[in-house]
Each structure stands twice: as C-alpha cells, then as structure tokens.
Amino acid sequence: MSYFRATDPFPLESADHTRLHEFYARLAAGRLATTRCAGCRRLAWPPRAFCGACGSDQFDWVDLSGEGTIHAFTVQEAGLPTGFEGPRVFVIVKIDGLRVFSILVGVEPATVAIGQAVRVSPLRVADDPNGNARWLPAFRPA
Ligand SMILES: [Zn+2]
C-alpha cells in the first residue's frame, strides 16, 4: 500500500522530519514539553525551533507541569473526519502560564466545565509510514 502524505492527518514526528522531534519523544513518555529560547529565555507555545521575539535559533527543552485548568472548550458532534470518533471535545488549557489548544479525552462532554482541573494524557494515533508510533497532546480530567 502506498503512503499519501496529503491524506495523513498527523504530523511526521521523527527526527528525520522535524527539529522538534524531542517534543514527541517526551510526549511518548507521558510528558508535555515546550521550548525556551536560549537568547531571551522566552517560553514558547507551541514549541519553536526559532524565536519570534529575538530571532535566536538556539533553545532548550522544558517539561511543563502536566496539570492545568480548562480555559475554554467546545464540543464537535458532526463533521469529524473519517476514522475519528465523536463527539470530540476541544479545549484550551491554561498550564504554566501558557494556553494550550488540545483535545479532552475520557470525559462525558456534558460534564465539562470552565476551570475544571485536567492533566496531560498523550494520545497514541496512527503509526507513521515507517511504523514508528506517533503521539498527540491530549488531556483528561485530573
Ligand atoms: Zn528569544
């Protein structure tokens, strides 16, 4: 079977494809991480290999606390791409001063509330074309 990048909804996470591979490696280990600019020390979200504030391309990896609160959310019940189960809860989580757009899993959508405590719960998705596991950030109720 051939691989068609245009129909793959997930990022190519391996070190061959992204300088931000470390983000996915830490996610596979259950940790949500981001970059801190080595020049101006600004914490970025999403992780960046290049600082938009000072122009540096040097950065360090920083693990976030893994626990946050729901700042906003919405529930998608229709129109999900093939292969995605619904309803799907999208959230903006406040975590370590950042606002992280992600999905909420393991929850009944009607019970979700602003201010609710959540914790990082990485979600394994389809393997990449070389058979490597892939992960996306997700949260579940704390
Ligand atoms: Zn910077």
Side-chain angles (χ1 to χ4, degrees):
M1 191 167 106
S2 300
Y3 171 74
F4 294 101
R5 178 66 191 139
T7 59
D8 182 354
F10 303 115
L12 293 172
E13 301 178 352
S14 77
D16 292 341
H17 292 101
T18 175
R19 279 189 68 194
L20 300 176
H21 167 70
E22 179 71 17
F23 172 77
Y24 298 106
R26 290 185 189 217
L27 204 55
R31 290 143 53 198
L32 185 65
T34 194
T35 53
R36 182 185 298 282
C37 174
C40 69
R41 308 304 298 161
R42 185 166 175 262
L43 197 63
W45 185 266
R48 293 186 182 100
F50 179 85
C51 179
C54 78
S56 173
D57 64 355
Q58 301 299 307
F59 58 88
D60 302 310
W61 286 100
V62 179
D63 281 332
L64 301 178
S65 70
E67 297 198 354
T69 57
I70 295 177
H71 175 72
F73 71 95
T74 189
V75 179
Q76 183 180 8
E77 298 190 11
L80 290 159
T82 304
F84 287 82
E85 291 178 18
R88 204 157 171 86
V89 182
F90 293 92
V91 286
I92 296 175
V93 175
K94 283 200 286 193
I95 183 169
D96 293 358
L98 303 171
R99 290 183 186 179
V100 176
F101 180 75
S102 186
I103 59 171
L104 189 66
V105 298
V107 67
E108 180 59 42
T111 67
V112 179
I114 303 293
Q116 184 176 351
V118 292
R119 64 181 165 80
V120 173
S121 181
L123 189 65
R124 185 163 177 187
V125 294
D127 291 352
D128 78 7
N130 296 319
N132 300 309
R134 286 192 288 191
W135 299 82
L136 292 180
F139 289 82
R140 66 176 59 242

